[in-house]
Amino acid sequence: MGKIIGLLNQKGGVGKSTLAMHLAMALYHNLNFKKESNFVALYDSDNPQYSIDAIRNEEASLLKLALEDGNNFYSSKVQNIYKNDFVPINIYKGDIQDVTSKIDLLKSNYEYTIIDVVGTVNTEGYNEDFIKIFDYIIVPTSTEFDVVRSTISFVASVIAPISANSDMNYGIVLNNVDSVASGTYNMLINDLKTNGFNVLDNVINRRKKYVSLYLRDGNKGLLSTLYPNYDKPIIGLMEEILKNINKNKNEKE
């Protein structure tokens, strides 16, 4: 059965949707060695904005406009990437109830499904049973005091207790952090680990490329649901997550 990976945090502005997209694309393109179209699915459940689905739609519109202007560079690139039954990553869209109803289907059809979960914890269906559907939960946070405090509260009161009594595991990841403050975030990682929290070692720094759309900004942008980015920090984080998932599986066995 496939693995379900969720990105959760009750605090907005931590880059949850952007990170979900980058991780899914890294897993689909860089760690999908057989180029199988059923290797990864990306599920946009961050309603009402559904930003991942909106980006896929924007990319389709930009591709169409480029072709109408006589620019076939981007469409040719898509054709070179996707061939021999390898197609762009499948993106699903729906609220928590939709996610819950499709879990068995997703596990049967895909090796991995990455789900961007709505941040509002009082959303209907956002409960312990829902959290238990995940094999692994990624909790992004920045290093800002209020964000860290909110994230710790969320993990300590919701995620960690469920993880302790189920097969679900989790990891906090420092995301969109200032690269010049490495001393600060290394200290934060050590403090969190000392206090019993699961923290991922890979850190994602703040880079304009991560939030700039490739089809709009060219080589200045890495954000895309169509074009792989081959970004080492993102790939490194995804590899660490897979390692933790496999470690958790072996420990349970």
Side-chain angles (χ1 to χ4, degrees), residues 36 39 56 58 66 79 135 171 182 186 194:
E36 297 172 324
F39 192 66
R56 169 59 66 85
E58 183 179 358
Q79 292 172 5
D135 295 284
S182 59
N186 284 328
T194 300

Side-chain angles (χ1 to χ4, degrees), residues 52-111:
I52 295 173
D53 182 70
I55 285 175
R56 169 59 66 85
N57 291 333
E58 183 179 358
E59 288 184 292
S61 297
L62 289 171
L63 271 176
K64 183 179 178 181
L65 286 173
L67 284 172
E68 289 174 352
D69 290 340
N71 180 357
N72 65 357
F73 171 79
Y74 292 107
S75 60
S76 295
K77 193 170 182 179
V78 166
Q79 292 172 5
N80 287 331
I81 295 169
Y82 302 104
K83 47 193 174 185
N84 301 326
D85 298 324
F86 186 53
V87 301
I89 189 170
N90 286 321
I91 295 177
Y92 292 82
K93 169 187 171 184
D95 60 19
I96 283 178
Q97 287 84 358
D98 293 322
V99 172
T100 304
S101 69
K102 290 185 175 71
I103 282 298
D104 290 339
L105 176 69
L106 294 167
K107 285 187 172 184
S108 297
N109 289 351
Y110 299 95
E111 290 291 323

Side-chain angles (χ1 to χ4, degrees), residues 24-69:
M25 290 295 284
L27 183 56
Y28 191 60
H29 286 277
N30 304 312
L31 302 172
N32 179 11
F33 303 112
K34 295 181 180 179
K35 291 295 180 281
E36 297 172 324
S37 293
N38 64 343
F39 192 66
V40 186
L42 179 55
Y43 208 120
D44 186 357
S45 187
D46 192 8
N47 59 303
Q49 61 269 28
Y50 293 118
S51 57
I52 295 173
D53 182 70
I55 285 175
R56 169 59 66 85
N57 291 333
E58 183 179 358
E59 288 184 292
S61 297
L62 289 171
L63 271 176
K64 183 179 178 181
L65 286 173
L67 284 172
E68 289 174 352
D69 290 340

Side-chain angles (χ1 to χ4, degrees), residues 224-236:
S224 178
T225 67
L226 296 174
Y227 302 92
N229 58 45
Y230 306 112
D231 183 74
K232 286 183 68 176
I234 296 291
I235 296 169

Side-chain angles (χ1 to χ4, degrees), residues 23 27-28 33 39-40 66 81 110 117-118 122 134 145-146 158 161 164 200 210 253:
L23 289 174
L27 183 56
Y28 191 60
F33 303 112
F39 192 66
V40 186
I81 295 169
Y110 299 95
V117 179
V118 63
N122 60 0
F134 296 98
F145 177 77
D146 288 343
V158 178
L200 294 159
Y210 286 147
E253 291 176 350

